Amino acid sequence: MAQAVQASIGDSEFDRDTAVTPRTPGVYDAELSAGWTILRAVNGGYLLAILGRALAHALPHPDPFTVSAHYLSASQPGPAVIRTETVRTGRTLSTGQASLFQYAEDGTETERIRVLATHGDLDALPDDVRTSATPPRIPPYGKCLGPADGPAPDIAGSSEIMNRLAIRLDPATVGWVVGAPSGKGEMRGWFALADGRDADPLSLLLTVDALPPTSFDLGLKGWTPTIELTTHIRSRPAPGPLRVAITTRNLAGGFLEEDAEVWDSRDRLVAQSRQLARAPR
Amino acid sequence: MAQAVQASIGDSEFDRDTAVTPRTPGVYDAELSAGWTILRAVNGGYLLAILGRALAHALPHPDPFTVSAHYLSASQPGPAVIRTETVRTGRTLSTGQASLFQYAEDGTETERIRVLATHGDLDALPDDVRTSATPPRIPPYGKCLGPADGPAPDIAGSSEIMNRLAIRLDPATVGWVVGAPSGKGEMRGWFALADGRDADPLSLLLTVDALPPTSFDLGLKGWTPTIELTTHIRSRPAPGPLRVAITTRNLAGGFLEEDAEVWDSRDRLVAQSRQLARAPR
């Protein structure tokens, strides 16, 4: 749908729904929004962004450089509390830990996800780039496929999160929608927030876990729960849609890895992530 | 040097030097051996193996499936204490946290490294393999280069750890020894323990961080300190030397990633790791 006014960093759905409220030093309240669910579970990248916001407040450095998350139990929409610990503070980097808990009916807390993160200041880094990585070959935005392009690709059914995202997939990686997966274990496409908010380091934590799982392209159906997800944020993203390429090389023993890379509009590799997930049964 | 008797898993230098002694529930004493130092710092993979051994004791599942480590300060040979926390226990997986501390002269503890790890039982996994990954092209063991092959490659100077390892590097990735790095950011070779002990999941945690840094192949000199290292152990390794291939695609802003994969003698991808490191200045 057309946006009358483009949302901005700090004033958008994503910012409101990942807000944290300090309760006591290092402890934050949050409300997990039903707007970021896949089927009924809250998206793992959305959770990472909330934890990243809490740590950005708790630590002396603003930007997540590397975030390692271990997923413990499925999160539900509703209230949550985040408890952080400052592990080490240095001149250019600081390390913290954060856990997100939700409440059972009897008031006991259940831990949903725990992260270790090292933060720094992306704007303080030198501009040197000596990368051999090249952007993924993805057709132009208009040639990729979104939910409005008919049965292919209704990429997540009735999942609420699809209303918050503008994802358009490379036609080469959507064969699974019509029963013809490539078998390569690849997923590629364009990523933007639906309200037009540009990307920042916190929203990149959402971006790395937002596309359909590569297991679909391997011909597998069903849930691919994340066990662990580590993300490196390497540069502040430039405005405009992002390109995301995800690959799985090793499906074995009932588990698989997903390697994601995210490129911005000036062809900078702004994020790299890898997760270990349980393969569909 | 020739080994009169090949060491075995459970009775080897590696096992003795990574031993942990329970002090109280979840707390372990260890002695960091000077035998596993690079220049004067204790090798990061050796530390991971000690932490993995403590968690294997503390958690109900024996094998590290995914280990996320954030490095906080440089470790020195000498006594250390490991404090573990059981975060979650499930039927097939359990998650724990462990920190390694060393003592200052006044008795205060300094945290060296903190890990989040999810453990499972590799022997309980199904045998299915649907991988698109293929083993790295590395010349046969006898065509690769070790410390005895003259100036190339005296791969770590007087570092003690080189006496514990039998590493032979692919000639294509040792040009840096004679001032002619390939510039590709690659490091490949064969890995074994010098006393002939075969690999197990704990020694794989050492293997992923044992080769010279890819920054050498990029023409950079100096120290490449690890900020964070996450390792997935995907299968119990078969006996025999391992093949290790490490690549760096993105050197930017003063940081670089190193992606390592480890293959065993039956062509199984047994470990995958990625680290974020600070580039040499």
Side-chain angles (χ1 to χ4, degrees), chain A residues 66 70 72 85 88 92 97 114 118 128 130-132 218 228 232 234 249 251 253 255 261 278, chain B residues 66 70 72 85 88 92 97 114 118 128 130-132 218 228 232 234 249 251 253 255 261 278:
Chain A
T66 169
H70 287 244
L72 306 169
E85 176 193 349
R88 174 187 172 270
T92 59
Q97 177 174 310
R114 184 179 294 208
T118 296
D128 65 299
R130 283 182 54 187
T131 183
S132 64
L218 289 168
E228 173 267 324
H232 299 172
R234 302 296 304 274
R249 298 173 66 229
L251 167 62
F255 291 85
E261 50 182 62
R278 205 188 277 273
Chain B
T66 169
H70 287 244
L72 306 169
E85 175 194 351
R88 174 187 172 271
T92 59
Q97 177 174 311
R114 185 180 292 208
T118 296
D128 65 299
R130 283 183 53 185
T131 183
S132 63
L218 289 168
E228 173 266 324
H232 300 173
R234 301 296 302 275
R249 300 173 65 229
L251 168 61
F255 291 86
E261 52 181 62
R278 206 188 276 273

Side-chain angles (χ1 to χ4, degrees), chain B residues 205-223:
Chain B
L205 296 175
L206 167 70
T207 304
V208 298
D209 197 30
L211 266 58
T214 53
S215 54
F216 288 1
D217 187 54
L218 289 168
L220 301 172
K221 290 173 183 173
W223 194 243

Side-chain angles (χ1 to χ4, degrees), chain B residues 75-163:
Chain B
S75 299
Q76 308 299 329
V81 60
I82 297 140
R83 301 181 188 281
T84 68
E85 175 194 351
T86 298
V87 177
R88 174 187 172 271
T89 59
R91 190 175 57 83
T92 59
L93 297 174
S94 52
T95 299
Q97 177 174 311
S99 291
L100 186 145
F101 298 86
Q102 290 193 293
Y103 307 96
E105 288 193 5
D106 64 0
T108 59
E109 292 183 351
T110 300
E111 191 169 352
R112 299 302 194 198
I113 174 175
R114 185 180 292 208
V115 306
L116 276 177
T118 296
H119 277 224
D121 182 355
L122 287 171
D123 297 330
L125 299 185
D127 281 333
D128 65 299
V129 179
R130 283 183 53 185
T131 183
S132 63
T134 51
R137 289 181 194 172
I138 298 177
Y141 192 88
K143 300 255 170 121
C144 286
L145 302 174
D149 296 306
D154 181 12
I155 56 184
S158 58
S159 294
E160 273 297 319
I161 194 172
M162 298 322 298
N163 298 323

Side-chain angles (χ1 to χ4, degrees), chain A residues 62-121:
Chain A
D63 300 316
F65 277 23
T66 169
V67 182
S68 308
H70 287 244
Y71 290 79
L72 306 169
S73 56
S75 299
Q76 309 299 329
V81 60
I82 297 140
R83 302 182 187 282
T84 69
E85 176 193 349
T86 299
V87 177
R88 174 187 172 270
T89 59
R91 190 174 56 82
T92 59
L93 297 174
S94 52
T95 298
Q97 177 174 310
S99 291
L100 186 145
F101 298 85
Q102 291 193 292
Y103 308 96
E105 287 194 6
D106 65 359
T108 59
E109 292 184 351
T110 300
E111 190 168 353
R112 299 303 194 196
I113 175 176
R114 184 179 294 208
V115 307
L116 277 177
T118 296
H119 277 224
D121 182 355

Side-chain angles (χ1 to χ4, degrees), chain A residues 150-172:
Chain A
D154 180 13
I155 56 184
S158 58
S159 294
E160 273 296 318
I161 194 171
M162 299 320 299
N163 297 324
R164 310 265 123 36
L165 306 179
I167 289 175
R168 297 182 77 92
L169 294 178
D170 184 336

Side-chain angles (χ1 to χ4, degrees), chain A residues 1 26 28 35 39 46 60 64 115 130 138 149 169 171 191 196 221 226 231 235 255 262 264 266 269:
Chain A
M1 66 201 115
Y28 302 85
L39 301 179
Y46 166 70
V115 307
R130 283 182 54 187
I138 298 177
D149 296 308
L169 294 178
F191 174 97
K221 290 172 184 173
T226 302
T231 307
S235 181
F255 291 85
V262 183
D264 73 3
R266 49 176 190 163
L269 179 50

